Amino acid sequence: MTFLAVEGLTVRIRRGPWLLRGVSLAVAAGEARGLVGESGAGKSMIGKAILGILPRAAEVVSGRILLDGTDLLRLSDRDRRARIGRLCALIPQDPLTALNPARRIGPQITDRLTDILGWDRARAQARAAELLAEVQIADPPRVLKSYPHELSGGMRQRVLIAAAFAAEPKLIVADEPTTALDVTVQREVLRLIAGMQARHGTALLFVTHDLGVVSKVCRRLSVLYAGKVVEDTDVRAFFRTPGHPYSAALLAATPKYTDPDSSLRPVPSAVIDAVRAEVAAWDAAHG
Amino acid sequence: MMFARRLAFRLATTAVTLVGVAVIVFVVIRVVPGNPIAMMLPPGATEADIARLRALYGFDRSIAEQFLIWAGGVLQGDFGTSITARRPVLELVLGRLPATLELATLALCIAVVLGGSLALAGARWRETRTEAAVDVTNGIGLSVPDFLWGLILILLFGVVWPLFPISGRIAPALAREFATNFYLAEAILRLRLDLLGALLAHMLLPALALALPLAAIIAQLLKQSLKETMHLDYVTLARTKGFAEGRVIRAEALPNAVLPTLTLVGVQFTFLIGGTVIIERLFSYEGLGNLAIDAVINRDLPLIQGIVIVFAGLFTLINLGVDMLYAALNPRLRRG
């Protein structure tokens, strides 16, 4: 059952360059899908478009974003917001800036439950404490009363993960959730996200530039280049035999712990040129 | 504990500041031209008359000596006797202070509500015509000083459309109803809506004149810091939770954006109190500022000293209050 289907999504900066060039991708209910690509490929833009938080300068030119069968782009602002708030959640990139420094942790987890979903305060509090325990935070009651500056980066990311799962969303968009963390914390957080995703049966769109991270969390994988999906495949198949030449080059460029002496291999210029030619053809066709 | 120590430290520095202010005022008003004795005597008074009066008020002694006598009295709660009114300075000042405090507080409330609303509207509909309109409004508010606003308001609502009284604090007949000099507070506490209405009708125009420039400053600064906050990750995250833009601004952006504005409002509020001197004169409002102008015209040195000390004390108290409020609103400065 497809839960999220993005079809031919085309986004540009108003009177400026294209950001997404007809992106299509689908996430089945309960599926963990990685979305990889280099910086500027448009990975985060897709996540933002789905969650309705595109920057003001960006405009959707064409395409559909079907969330559980309903096209978000055809809804009024109010209905879209309500639908996204009920069905989706975001695990943001930087835990240091994603929590409001002026508010306590508790309300930042429970506000969606009480103010959007209409839970009573006590039930929401209990739920928040339960979730903090699930993300392995010691002494949840104390943390709920803390301010963000009183917690470490790793703890803040756990809080954000707990907050994302609070309303039992059907889809979570994780936007490079481990990039801002140091390597040891990264591993734990990845394991946590993978475990929570599996336990709660939530669909996950995991945006990252790190193929190694994808292999730990995701089953399916979309490779993005210059605002186009160049490959949509199974993660294991991808690591065995990548389909698209760009994917193969990207994989070859990933440094390996097992072979630390091999020098980094950049993506060959022939591959880049071929993909760029495709992009140029697309741009020419779309004015 | 931290809080108490900080408070104690601030109170100590406040005392030092007040001594400094006292010395400066005391010396300056004795050095500048103008002689209180000359104002008191009819033309044609003899040298002997002048000398007798000078000795009576102690003006024949050195400035240092005069200061010590005065400061000694102040420490015992005696600010001297007004030369013109022949009544204790403290009694005169405390009698007028409530009127000025109430006017300044009303002006501050108007400025915060008006400026805050403009800032929220400008941030909510940013990069639209609404924001442009807010900017133009702020520009007008900022470029016209308070005394000019006073004249404009008198002209508009006192002369062209005579909607409001333009002079005094309240009709003299009603003034007898009050037991204290805090008319506004008393009317509110006693739930006397008739008196409250009469008071507000008198106070609205002068308070508005004082409030408009401050409202413009608040609107401009708060809108700017709201707009900067709107780009931050926690604001974006709140949007994905399903909250409407207005709620996102109020609950997420405002608690953070308000901090830099608060510092400035503290400073500007003291300017506003300075502005009451002229505004009270314009509206014949019987407050401390009006008293101050009379005192200066009559060279009533003890009264001038008393008023300046009270103003200085008020300013340092306001700064102290702002500091404490800042600590209370910013969790990173709070310590359990």
Side-chain angles (χ1 to χ4, degrees):
Chain A
M1 245 295 279
T2 303
F3 182 73
L4 168 76
V6 177
E7 295 174 356
L9 185 65
T10 303
V11 175
R12 73 184 302 171
I13 300 278
R14 270 176 237 283
R15 294 182 290 277
W18 299 98
L19 298 174
L20 299 177
R21 297 175 167 87
V23 166
S24 295
L25 66 84
V27 183
E31 175 189 78
R33 174 176 290 270
L35 182 58
V36 299
E38 55 190 65
S39 314
K43 317 182 284 289
S44 291
M45 270 318 143
I46 296 177
K48 288 192 166 88
I50 294 166
L51 294 171
I53 49 172
L54 279 175
R56 287 175 160 241
E59 65 176 333
V60 175
V61 178
S62 61
R64 303 202 293 170
I65 301 174
L66 297 166
L67 193 66
D68 202 13
T70 306
D71 186 358
L72 291 179
L73 300 176
R74 288 174 157 274
L75 296 178
S76 69
D77 279 357
R78 171 198 288 261
D79 291 347
R80 178 181 333 135
R81 233 178 14 236
R83 195 168 177 77
I84 292 169
R86 229 166 339 103
L87 295 175
C88 304
L90 168 70
I91 300 178
Q93 174 167 10
D94 187 351
L96 299 184
T97 57
L99 288 167
N100 191 331
R103 300 177 67 206
R104 291 179 198 274
I105 298 293
Q108 301 199 49
I109 299 178
T110 57
D111 56 4
R112 184 198 316 240
L113 302 177
T114 53
D115 297 9
I116 301 283
L117 302 175
W119 292 27
D120 69 63
R121 197 162 293 275
R123 182 173 164 222
Q125 290 259 327
R127 169 79 174 150
E130 189 183 297
L131 278 160
L132 286 187
E134 193 179 343
V135 296
Q136 290 146 34
I137 281 181
D139 199 357
R142 188 186 58 80
V143 171
L144 286 175
K145 285 198 212 88
S146 305
Y147 283 96
H149 70 275
E150 295 165 329
L151 307 180
S152 69
M155 274 175 89
R156 290 191 219 185
Q157 192 56 289
R158 285 163 194 272
V159 165
L160 287 163
I161 291 167
F165 281 94
E168 290 291 354
K170 298 281 185 286
L171 170 73
I172 286 183
V173 177
D175 186 6
E176 307 245 14
T178 57
T179 310
L181 303 173
D182 70 56
V183 184
T184 47
V185 181
Q186 235 178 59
R187 260 174 70 96
E188 290 166 33
V189 167
L190 283 178
R191 204 176 292 159
L192 195 64
I193 294 176
M196 299 262 301
Q197 185 266 330
R199 266 198 307 283
H200 292 256
T202 317
L204 177 70
L205 185 63
F206 196 103
V207 177
T208 180
H209 62 269
D210 188 340
L211 282 170
V213 164
V214 168
S215 68
K216 290 193 185 71
V217 181
C218 304
R219 303 286 293 276
R220 301 283 301 175
L221 172 68
S222 296
V223 180
L224 202 66
Y225 184 83
K228 278 171 74 82
V229 172
V230 294
E231 180 157 12
D232 175 352
T233 177
D234 183 87
V235 169
R236 256 173 284 173
F238 176 84
F239 280 96
R240 267 198 314 273
T241 47
H244 193 275
Y246 174 74
S247 306
L250 202 62
L251 192 57
T254 310
K256 292 173 188 61
Y257 289 110
T258 48
D259 187 11
D261 294 332
S262 68
S263 58
L264 290 177
R265 265 181 291 170
V267 178
S269 58
V271 176
I272 296 283
D273 291 344
V275 192
R276 281 205 184 134
E278 264 179 64
V279 169
W282 191 94
D283 285 359
H286 291 77
Chain B
M1 201 48 226
M2 270 283 284
F3 189 81
R5 271 179 55 188
R6 255 172 68 167
L7 190 66
F9 177 74
R10 285 299 305 262
L11 287 176
T13 55
T14 299
V16 175
T17 310
L18 289 183
V19 171
V21 170
V23 171
I24 292 171
V25 173
F26 203 89
V27 172
V28 166
I29 59 178
R30 277 167 177 73
V31 170
V32 295
N35 180 346
I37 302 298
M39 310 290 289
M40 295 167 73
L41 287 168
T46 63
E47 286 291 327
D49 291 337
I50 294 175
R52 211 173 52 244
L53 259 185
R54 280 174 62 86
L56 182 65
Y57 283 96
F59 292 131
D60 54 341
R61 298 166 192 250
S62 74
I63 291 184
E65 240 178 307
Q66 289 182 39
F67 181 77
L68 286 178
I69 293 168
W70 177 76
V74 166
L75 288 178
Q76 296 165 39
D78 176 13
F79 281 75
T81 306
S82 159
I83 295 176
T84 41
R86 322 247 159 139
R87 279 164 58 198
V89 166
L90 195 61
E91 183 193 312
L92 286 171
V93 169
L94 291 185
R96 289 291 191 95
L97 182 61
T100 298
L101 280 183
E102 289 188 336
L103 182 64
T105 307
L106 182 64
L108 180 67
C109 293
I110 293 175
V112 167
V113 172
L114 206 62
S117 313
L118 278 176
L120 287 172
R124 170 68 185 81
W125 290 285
R126 57 195 175 282
E127 282 139 45
T128 66
R129 284 204 191 135
T130 308
E131 196 195 351
V134 168
D135 286 341
V136 171
T137 311
N138 289 343
I140 295 171
L142 278 172
S143 49
V144 179
D146 50 9
F147 59 87
L148 206 50
W149 278 122
L151 291 173
I152 293 169
L153 291 173
I154 287 176
L155 196 63
L156 284 182
F157 301 109
V159 179
V160 181
W161 301 290
L163 295 171
F164 294 98
I166 51 169
S167 138
R169 191 177 177 197
I170 194 164
L174 291 176
R176 273 184 250 120
E177 301 263 348
F178 294 99
T180 67
N181 280 323
F182 286 96
Y183 290 3
L184 193 60
E186 203 184 317
I188 293 170
L189 289 177
R190 283 167 56 191
L191 295 172
R192 288 290 302 270
L193 294 184
D194 54 330
L195 296 179
L196 186 64
L199 273 173
L200 288 179
H202 280 83
M203 292 171 77
L204 187 66
L205 294 186
L208 204 55
L210 289 166
L212 286 176
L214 181 57
I217 293 173
I218 292 176
Q220 197 58 30
L221 190 73
L222 185 59
K223 177 174 72 90
Q224 205 50 44
S225 62
L226 278 172
K227 280 175 72 183
E228 279 161 26
T229 314
M230 297 308 291
H231 298 295
L232 299 180
D233 289 353
Y234 56 81
V235 175
T236 309
L237 186 62
R239 289 204 183 95
T240 69
K241 291 177 181 174
F243 290 118
E245 188 70 9
R247 143 95 199 212
V248 168
I249 292 177
R250 270 179 285 115
E252 304 286 340
L254 189 59
N256 292 286
V258 86
L259 292 175
T261 315
L262 183 67
T263 313
L264 185 101
V265 168
V267 177
Q268 291 292 332
F269 184 47
T270 57
F271 289 162
L272 184 151
I273 292 180
T276 59
V277 174
I278 295 175
I279 292 297
E280 285 182 2
R281 195 66 169 184
L282 274 181
F283 288 88
S284 309
Y285 184 90
E286 279 154 23
L288 206 52
N290 218 341
L291 188 68
I293 291 183
D294 287 334
V296 170
I297 290 174
N298 296 322
R299 301 290 188 272
D300 192 340
L301 303 194
L303 189 54
I304 297 175
Q305 287 153 22
I307 291 172
V308 171
I309 290 293
V310 166
F311 270 130
L314 206 55
F315 289 0
T316 49
L317 269 183
I318 288 166
N319 281 326
L320 185 69
V322 168
D323 273 14
M324 296 297 148
L325 194 58
Y326 194 89
L329 288 179
N330 188 346
R332 278 162 292 191
L333 291 182
R334 219 179 298 156
R335 287 236 138 241

